[in-house]
Amino acid sequence: MSSATISKKSYLLVWAALMVLLGATWGVAELNLGAANTILALIIAVIKMGLVIFFFMHVRYNNRLTWIFAGAGFVWFWIMVSLTMTDYLTRGWLRAQDASISYWQEGAPTPPPGGNPGDVNTTKSNR
Amino acid sequence: MRNQANAPMAEQFETLEQQEEVSRLGMWAFLATEVMFFGGLFMAYTVYRHAYPHAFAIASKHTNLLYGTVNTAILLTSSLWMAFAVHAASEGNRKLLVRYLLLTILFAFGFLGVKALEYRQDFLEHLIPGRDFAVPEAPKSEIFFYLYWAMTGLHGLHVLIGIGLLSVIAWMSSRGRFSEKYYNPVEVSGLYWHFVDIVWIFLYPLLYLIDRHV
């Protein structure tokens, strides 16, 4: 059967790699790299996921149909994230003055004098 | 049909290999629904972190990085024991199989134990959204903590379900229900356990390590 093709030693190596990558996640986070911090953290997480899926979960040694089943959920998740973020990331690019569009970048529009109808506490800051 | 070690094949299958493949694909299909299940929360996280990056960074510094890191190591190690358990099953080594399954379960409890300590500290530091929420410098960090509790809570529930599942498998193993020819339930339960591990691999940097320099 498929799983017998991996020796215990290989599992130990994969585990050691996962531990090194865990240390790397923390170590990289302590460096101040700006936006690259998040990107690096996610790259390391994806590598860790790959190690777990391909070796611990044996997908490396399974047939192509299993590859499709294993990949499907992640592909659809990626579609959801990218389509949703094309909206949020680009809001306000074209008409930044439009309060209803730039809400996510600028915060809520200033309430009218006397506050919005139904507000309990209009003095509270929004950020 | 009973899954006895000497007659493990259900009648709708032609061969043991076919049965194996079907149950493996079934588990992966279930895991795809789990990706979608957690995916909604990761999506909400992405949207709100994009909207309030500063508040999320401040909130993240209020989490306990040491507990989070230790728990990642514990969970990754429990996955190693699970992989060893499947390996022992494939060799028909019942004693080792049960031993590794129990180790996996022990580490799962270790994870929940550390998580309980962490939740207690979060509770005492008023990091629960609501009236007493205590991060005044960034009120929007409440959104981070809504997601923190929901995501770690849902993940913790999966760990708990995993403990139940692996306990049943360990009991069946000790009763000699599996052999080197038939150990599919062990392998498929292992897939579930490794998936729980993968969710945490992403939760760790996204919750504990957003920006250490704010």
Side-chain angles (χ1 to χ4, degrees), chain A residues 102-115:
Chain A
S102 57
Y103 185 93
W104 284 86
Q105 273 81 24
E106 311 299 334
T110 31

Side-chain angles (χ1 to χ4, degrees), chain A residues 69-74 76-77 80, chain B residues 25-41 154 158 192 195 199:
Chain A
F69 270 62
F74 298 103
W76 285 100
F77 173 67
M80 175 170 75
Chain B
L25 290 180
M27 179 48 94
W28 272 111
F30 170 69
L31 293 183
T33 71
E34 289 274 71
V35 172
M36 294 288 98
F37 188 24
F38 279 99
L41 285 165
L154 187 64
H158 278 77
Y192 176 84
F195 174 80
V199 173

Side-chain angles (χ1 to χ4, degrees), chain A residues 22-34:
Chain A
L22 168 62
T25 311
W26 187 348
V28 165
E30 295 297 336
L31 306 171
N32 194 351
L33 304 172

Side-chain angles (χ1 to χ4, degrees), chain B residues 107-124:
Chain B
F107 273 62
F109 274 114
F111 176 88
L112 289 178
V114 173
K115 202 76 216 151
L117 290 175
E118 187 182 352
Y119 276 172
R120 182 177 178 277
Q121 193 195 355
D122 295 337
F123 179 78
L124 293 176

Side-chain angles (χ1 to χ4, degrees), chain B residues 186-214:
Chain B
V186 184
E187 169 136 23
V188 167
S189 311
L191 290 182
Y192 176 84
W193 188 251
H194 295 309
F195 174 80
V196 173
D197 195 12
I198 288 174
V199 173
W200 188 262
I201 285 175
F202 283 93
L203 287 181
Y204 171 64
L206 293 180
L207 295 179
Y208 295 89
L209 295 168
I210 292 183
D211 187 350
R212 306 282 301 147
H213 311 282
V214 288

